[in-house]
Amino acid sequence: MKVALYLRVSTEEQAVRGYSIEAQKEALRDYALKKGWEIAGIYEDAGFSAKDINRPALKRLLKDIEDGKINAVLVWRLDRISRSVGDFSDIVEFFEKHGVIFDSATENIDTSTPSGRALVNVLAVFAQFERESIGERTRLGKLKKVQMGNPALGLPPYGYRIEDGEYKINEAEAEVVRLIFKLCVDNHWGYRKIASHLNEIGLKTRQGGFWNHGSISSILNNPIYAGLIVWNKTKSLRGKVIKRPKSEWIKLKGNFPPIISEELFDLASSRIKERNQRGRSLSSVYPLSGIIRCGLCGMSYNVNRRKERGVVNYFCSSRKGKGSVVCNNRTVNGTKIEKLLVSKLIEITQKEKELILSSFKGENRGEEISKEIKNISTALERIEAKRKKIFELYEDEEIDKAILKERIKELESEMALLKSRQEELYLRQDREKNIEHECSVAKICIISLLKV
Ligand SMILES: [Zn+2]
């Protein structure tokens, strides 16, 4: 199989780490190697956007395909070929016509199947939506400004003021910013505790209001205080703003003074991360979050709380994160699954109990034990009565001393036997009661843990 590696990176993307042409090339080589494909050529379009097909390397690739030099085309991502659905389908059709396999190193596609081809088209539609909703031109203009170190000027963040079109430190506010970072890093406080502390000591927000979780969070998570501008954090996809992976962020030193050091900012970020992770593991509100796993893909199921209706749902994290193309397992209602689990656990404890009880092989149990204990008591009473009678006979000189002694001895050994049996039965009764008790405690624990 002779494969062509097609690489493209736009001028704008060249500024972003993780998009570099070298990294793409590396990934493609690895991928081709794994598939056992022979690399017939590398086609690079550096500094070209995907809005049209007017690209020298792409043209060369199409020509080589026509000349029968290539059996497969490998890209890092489908949008390397084109972001326009029309161009994209044309090219994929052209590949098909020449019997060329089209594959992406990061998206699981196989254009030799109808579903693979459909998927390719769906992804192309998304790519076009994305391109159109952002508008590469405006992005490019914005990026140039960022690269020059100017924050996109608007209302300055708390701690700064704007003077002559530049950010200057507002000392009074900057003091509060430093305090917030100190409380987070040195005192290990969370957003809420910091907010309530500031409110207690009478500090107000810029609007003169109370500090809250959100206002503290927006300060601790804003790299601007370390003198950094981060751009490209989000993108819009089908009209929704979504977060980009950190590897795609553009981080630049601004041309304005920092309020805190980069080191302190990073420390605060790791404190926040620690807290979040701790919070998640102690999540008592959603006890099954991260514990139950997807039966289709094996990833964890997490909670998705729809606040307005108070409905708690558990969803497959890989479906949520990567889309239904990766995993299509359904969302489950939280209350339902928790109830189901509780009944399952109770069933298991019940079975466990039966198992323990049945290990008292062939022994009497429960009611039978009580019955036997009662019988023994009656027997003991009867023996006691007999003993009394024998003494009476002796007193009335009906029997002599030797017979008395012999009879008493017999009765006493009979009594001892019965008493030891009775003792044994009492112990067994206790053991059974303990097992019953432990099982009911286990049930209560399970129920209260899951608050069902
Ligand atoms: Zn799944």
Side-chain angles (χ1 to χ4, degrees), residues 19 77 130 134 139 232-237 240-245 248:
Y19 264 95
R77 234 169 52 183
E130 188 187 339
I134 294 167
R139 278 161 58 85
N232 219 37
K233 270 158 78 172
T234 58
K235 61 179 161 190
S236 61
L237 183 66
K240 275 188 190 164
V241 176
I242 60 166
K243 276 188 180 168
R244 285 175 189 273
E248 289 181 21

Side-chain angles (χ1 to χ4, degrees), residues 236-354:
S236 61
L237 183 66
R238 283 184 291 163
K240 275 188 190 164
V241 176
I242 60 166
K243 276 188 180 168
R244 285 175 189 273
K246 275 199 170 158
S247 60
E248 289 181 21
W249 289 12
I250 305 173
K251 221 162 147 186
L252 295 158
K253 256 199 164 27
N255 58 1
F256 54 91
I259 292 176
I260 56 153
S261 68
E262 248 180 87
E263 198 189 358
L264 186 64
F265 180 78
D266 290 342
L267 267 172
S269 299
S270 57
R271 289 267 191 280
I272 292 162
K273 216 172 140 197
E274 271 168 38
R275 285 190 73 85
N276 287 344
Q277 277 163 355
R278 227 181 321 148
R280 215 170 298 141
S281 65
L282 283 175
S283 169
S284 55
V285 194
Y286 312 119
L288 302 179
S289 193
I291 290 174
I292 46 177
R293 293 199 168 265
C294 174
L296 291 183
C297 72
M299 293 302 287
S300 62
Y301 257 61
N302 296 325
V303 161
N304 175 21
R305 195 192 171 90
R306 284 209 222 117
K307 271 187 187 137
E308 68 271 24
R309 277 189 283 160
V311 178
V312 174
N313 283 320
Y314 287 89
F315 58 86
C316 168
S317 57
S318 84
R319 178 180 177 162
K320 171 99 174 174
K322 297 168 191 161
S324 52
V325 161
V326 174
C327 180
N328 202 19
N329 211 351
R330 63 199 179 95
T331 299
V332 292
N333 177 281
T335 321
K336 261 189 202 159
I337 190 131
E338 282 164 15
K339 275 195 175 141
L340 185 73
L341 190 83
V342 164
S343 65
K344 208 76 201 162
L345 283 173
I346 288 173
E347 199 184 294
I348 292 168
T349 20
Q350 192 66 31
K351 274 190 187 146
E352 191 72 10
K353 185 175 86 178
E354 293 302 327

Side-chain angles (χ1 to χ4, degrees), residues 23-37:
Q24 287 184 31
K25 213 184 283 177
E26 217 33 61
L28 295 188
R29 277 213 188 94
D30 281 355
Y31 190 86
L33 199 72
K34 265 185 216 145
K35 289 240 173 181
W37 291 345

Side-chain angles (χ1 to χ4, degrees), residues 10 74 83 94 100 130 165 223 229 269 313 422 425 444 450:
S10 69
L74 178 60
R83 283 181 189 266
F94 177 86
V100 167
E130 188 187 339
I229 297 168
S269 299
N313 283 320
Q422 199 180 31
L425 291 172
I444 293 165
L450 296 178

Side-chain angles (χ1 to χ4, degrees), residues 38-154:
E38 181 199 333
I39 296 169
I42 298 175
Y43 302 78
E44 285 180 34
D45 277 324
F48 284 87
S49 93
K51 58 179 193 290
D52 57 37
I53 56 165
N54 213 353
R55 284 168 262 156
L58 181 64
K59 282 181 175 165
R60 203 153 42 80
L61 172 66
L62 298 179
K63 175 85 173 53
D64 286 349
I65 288 172
E66 234 162 9
D67 293 347
K69 293 181 188 164
I70 308 290
N71 314 117
V73 173
L74 178 60
V75 292
W76 180 60
R77 234 169 52 183
L78 295 180
D79 65 1
R80 300 301 89 187
I81 286 289
S82 177
R83 283 181 189 266
S84 133
V85 181
D87 289 345
F88 192 89
S89 324
D90 287 350
I91 293 172
V92 172
E93 212 172 286
F94 177 86
F95 288 165
E96 249 170 79
K97 203 177 100 193
H98 291 88
V100 167
I101 293 173
F102 178 42
D103 204 351
S104 153
T106 54
E107 291 134 330
N108 225 345
I109 56 153
D110 179 1
T111 56
S112 60
T113 67
S115 59
R117 283 194 294 275
L119 175 59
V120 161
N121 283 320
V122 169
L123 290 172
V125 172
F126 287 164
Q128 184 171 18
F129 263 117
E130 188 187 339
R131 185 177 66 85
E132 284 171 357
S133 52
I134 294 167
E136 288 195 10
R137 259 166 228 235
T138 48
R139 278 161 58 85
L140 211 60
K142 234 180 177 177
L143 179 59
K144 282 241 167 68
K145 217 173 178 185
V146 171
Q147 278 169 333
M148 285 167 1
N150 283 316
L153 292 176

